[in-house]
């Protein structure tokens, strides 16, 4: 197992242990002694899955992409649509992270680095759930105001 394709390619955590049941990967052949025999197709498929996970695609999208890759005669519109949707997810996450970064920077500037916890601005801000500066539902407007 130490030198298996799954180890060499690095298992994608969301798929780990569920690849075969999730129909991402067919079970490999086995030797008489029960050892798995991974072929080139398995290694390529594992690499494809890992690369798709690095782009943030979910298991359902990966299944669809694998199906398209297995049928090169099909149009690639669905793959493009999946990539467009993933890009939108990444951009939304980046907007949320930008808001979070700004809030943490503000918190650090107004926070304390010496003194007692009873006077700590960081703790005071975290305890104030209604201050309107976090990524809660109250910040939907703030998220839209963040530019790329």
């Amino acid at each position: 197992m130490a030198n298996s394709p799954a180890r060499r390619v690095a298992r994608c955590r969301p798929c780990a242990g569920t690849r075969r049941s999730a129909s991402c990967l067919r079970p490999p052949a086995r030797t008489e002694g029960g050892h798995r025999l991974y072929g080139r197709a398995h290694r390529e498929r594992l690499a494809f899955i890992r690369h798709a996970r690095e782009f943030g695609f979910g298991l359902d999208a990966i299944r669809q992409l694998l199906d398209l890759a297995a049928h090169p005669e099909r149009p690639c519109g669905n793959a493009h649509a999946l990539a467009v949707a993933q890009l939108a997810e990444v951009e939304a996450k980046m907007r949320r992270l930008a808001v979070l970064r700004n809030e943490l920077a503000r918190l650090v500037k107004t926070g304390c680095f010496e003194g007692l916890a009873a006077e700590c601005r960081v703790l005071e801000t975290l305890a104030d759930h209604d201050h309107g500066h976090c990524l809660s539902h109250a910040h939907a407007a703030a998220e839209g105001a963040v530019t790329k």
Side-chain angles (χ1 to χ4, degrees), residues 111-124:
C112 52
F113 51 90
E114 293 179 354
L116 302 174
E119 301 163 351
C120 181
R121 181 74 178 125
V122 172
L123 297 176
E124 180 183 321

Side-chain angles (χ1 to χ4, degrees), residues 55 57 81-95:
F55 277 92
F57 287 105
L82 290 168
V84 167
Q86 184 57 27
L87 177 59
E89 284 279 324
V90 168
E91 288 174 342
K93 187 179 286 189
M94 289 175 69
R95 285 190 300 273

